[in-house]
Amino acid sequence: MKLSLTAAALTGISVFSYATCLVNATAWVVGYQSAGYTGWNMRQYDDLYVGNPREVAYIFGSNANTLPGAVCGSWTEWYIITNPAPGTCQAPGCLKPTHVNKDGTCGDYCSLSHKTLGETLCLMCLASAKQTNSHFCSKACADAAEMKGPMILEVPVGHVTFRDVTDQFKASWRHTGTKPPSVKRIYKIVSPQSSLASYNAYKSTVEARGQFVAAGRSAGNENRRWHGTKRECCFGDGKGFMQFCGSQTCSLCCIVRTSFDLGLFGKKTGWGRFGKGIYTSSTSSKSNDYSTNECRSPLKAILLNKVVVGKGCKLTQDNVALTSPPQGYDSVLAEKGGSLNYDELVVYTNDAIRPSFLVMYEA
Ligand SMILES: [Zn+2]
Ligand SMILES: [Zn+2]
Ligand SMILES: [Zn+2]
C-alpha cells in the first residue's frame, strides 16, 4: 500500500474536524509522541484518529511512493495539537476562565459544578454527566455503546472512574521492594449485549444459590480481579490504537473482543496449578508478571475484570486435575501460603467473567 495523502493535503484542517475525521487510508506509517514519553514511537496502523490534545502526529516522509515501514526522508510534520488554552475551563463547551485558587494557581474548571461535570462525563458522548452506577448519561448512550461493542472507550484522566481503577491498581500492587508503575491510560471495555446477558444470567443463578446480597455482599459475590496476558499489537497505546488486531494469538485483543475462553486453556503454559480454569488475581503486581508485549511499546497492558466468585473454595495446595470447582463451590480461591506467593482466583466457566477495563501503565 502506497501513501496517497501528502502532508500538504492535511494542513489547514481544524482541530475539531481532525478530532472526528478518520483519515481514509490503510497502513500509514506514522510517528507519534505523547506527553511524558521521550522519543518517537513509530507505528503502522489502519485507522488514524487524532483527538488527544497531548499527542503530536507525524507522517513519515512526504514522498507519495513511500511504502509503509520504509525508512526514507525526514519526518514531515503534518499536525501538532497543543494543549487547550491554559486558563480555560475544561468542561465541554465552556470557554470561561478557570477558577484561580487562593495561592494563585489555576484550576482546570471555572466552577465546582463544571469540575463535577468534567470528572463524571458520560464515556460515550463526553458531553453530559454520567448517571450514578453507570458509565453513561442516558439509555441512548448506553444502547449506542452496546450496539458498537465490542469496543473500548477511553476514560479521561481526572475522571472519577480513572481514579477509582488507578486506586485499585496501586493498592493491590503488593510485591515488596517495587513501586506501582504510573497508570497512563484507562479504557472501558464495552461488550456486546448478548455477552453481558449470559454473564448476568450466570450471576443470577449463583446469587439464587448463595444469597450473597442478603449477607451484605454484591450479587453473585462479584469482585474485580486482574489478569495479565500477551499483547502482540499496540492495542491500547493511544488514539490510533483502539482497534483490535486480527491475530488469533494476540491474547489481549481476543479477550477484549470475545472475553475469556476456556477452550484455549493451556495454549500458553500447558497447565494450571488449579486445573482447567480462568485465572485472575486481586494482586495487580502478580498479574503484571503475566503481562507481556510482543510489540515495541512504552506501555504494558493489564485487564481489570468482573468475576462472579460465588462461594469460593479456599485451597493452598495445587490441584492440577480440577476441571470444575469442588462440589458445593463456584470458584477456587488459591490463598497465599503453601505453593503460592500471591492469591489467585479460578473460575471454571466462561460466563463467570467479563473483561471490564483495560489499564495501560508504564512498562
Ligand atoms: Zn466552565
Ligand atoms: Zn452520553
Ligand atoms: Zn492485538
Side-chain angles (χ1 to χ4, degrees):
M1 171 65 66
K2 289 176 181 177
L3 292 177
S4 57
L5 198 58
T6 60
L10 287 165
T11 54
I13 301 176
S14 75
V15 172
F16 277 104
S17 62
Y18 246 128
T20 53
C21 96
L22 172 64
V23 175
N24 187 19
T26 54
W28 290 94
V29 180
V30 302
Y32 78 99
Q33 191 176 42
S34 302
Y37 305 148
T38 53
W40 290 93
N41 301 288
M42 197 169 51
R43 300 282 183 265
Q44 182 176 326
Y45 50 85
D46 297 330
D47 295 340
L48 172 57
Y49 292 94
V50 181
N52 187 324
R54 288 184 201 86
E55 290 184 344
V56 184
Y58 278 69
I59 286 180
F60 194 45
S62 56
N63 183 339
N65 295 316
T66 304
L67 290 165
V71 177
C72 70
S74 55
W75 289 103
T76 303
E77 179 183 336
W78 55 269
Y79 204 72
I80 298 175
I81 298 169
T82 55
N83 284 314
T88 308
C89 176
Q90 288 183 19
C94 182
L95 296 169
K96 285 187 192 158
T98 54
H99 175 77
V100 180
N101 300 314
K102 282 200 181 102
D103 62 2
T105 57
C106 272
D108 291 329
Y109 299 95
C110 67
S111 60
L112 197 57
S113 67
H114 270 184
K115 181 173 189 284
T116 306
L117 171 64
E119 291 176 356
T120 59
L121 286 178
C122 165
L123 296 183
M124 189 65 189
C125 65
L126 295 174
S128 306
K130 72 181 192 74
Q131 291 181 14
T132 321
N133 300 325
S134 166
H135 296 291
F136 307 109
C137 66
S138 59
K139 189 173 182 306
C141 272
D143 288 350
E146 274 183 13
M147 286 269 286
K148 284 190 180 169
M151 66 160 172
I152 55 172
L153 292 170
E154 185 151 18
V155 181
V157 176
H159 196 278
V160 286
T161 304
F162 194 100
R163 270 203 305 268
D164 173 43
V165 173
T166 302
D167 286 351
Q168 183 172 349
F169 181 80
K170 284 185 182 161
S172 65
W173 190 274
R174 301 195 181 97
H175 280 50
T176 46
T178 61
K179 277 208 308 212
S182 162
V183 172
K184 294 297 181 190
R185 295 177 184 277
I186 295 177
Y187 299 91
K188 169 67 195 147
I189 298 166
V190 182
S191 304
Q193 215 279 325
S194 59
S195 171
L196 291 175
S198 53
Y199 172 81
N200 287 328
Y202 175 76
K203 183 163 74 173
S204 301
T205 314
V206 172
E207 172 59 24
R209 227 172 19 228
Q211 301 291 315
F212 300 98
V213 173
R217 291 196 249 178
S218 53
N221 192 19
E222 181 184 75
N223 281 272
R224 299 204 306 196
R225 291 288 183 265
W226 301 105
H227 182 87
T229 191
K230 181 179 75 171
R231 179 173 66 137
E232 288 182 356
C233 62
C234 295
F235 187 65
D237 270 5
K239 281 279 184 269
F241 312 104
M242 291 172 69
Q243 310 282 329
F244 314 110
C245 72
S247 170
Q248 292 301 305
T249 52
C250 181
S251 306
L252 185 74
C253 284
C254 290
I255 293 170
V256 173
R257 201 171 58 225
T258 53
S259 190
F260 294 81
D261 185 0
L262 274 167
L264 302 174
F265 174 80
K267 280 247 166 84
K268 214 165 49 176
T269 53
W271 71 291
R273 270 178 203 287
F274 301 95
K276 188 181 173 183
I278 301 165
Y279 290 68
T280 54
S281 177
S282 75
T283 305
S284 55
S285 51
K286 178 178 174 77
S287 299
N288 166 62
D289 291 343
Y290 297 93
S291 165
T292 56
N293 279 338
E294 291 192 0
C295 56
R296 275 186 58 204
S297 172
L299 302 177
K300 280 182 84 176
I302 197 173
L303 293 163
L304 185 59
N305 312 279
K306 44 186 188 179
V307 191
V308 177
V309 179
K311 197 175 170 199
C313 179
K314 292 177 183 171
L315 295 179
T316 52
Q317 295 303 321
D318 296 3
N319 188 343
V320 296
L322 286 175
T323 54
S324 60
Q327 187 72 38
Y329 293 93
D330 303 302
S331 60
V332 163
L333 300 170
E335 299 213 312
K336 201 176 156 174
S339 59
L340 271 184
N341 294 326
Y342 295 94
D343 69 288
E344 283 185 296
L345 166 65
V346 193
V347 292
Y348 298 85
T349 173
N350 290 342
D351 282 336
I353 181 167
R354 288 293 178 269
S356 202
F357 293 97
L358 169 62
V359 177
M360 307 300 302
Y361 55 101
E362 255 172 5

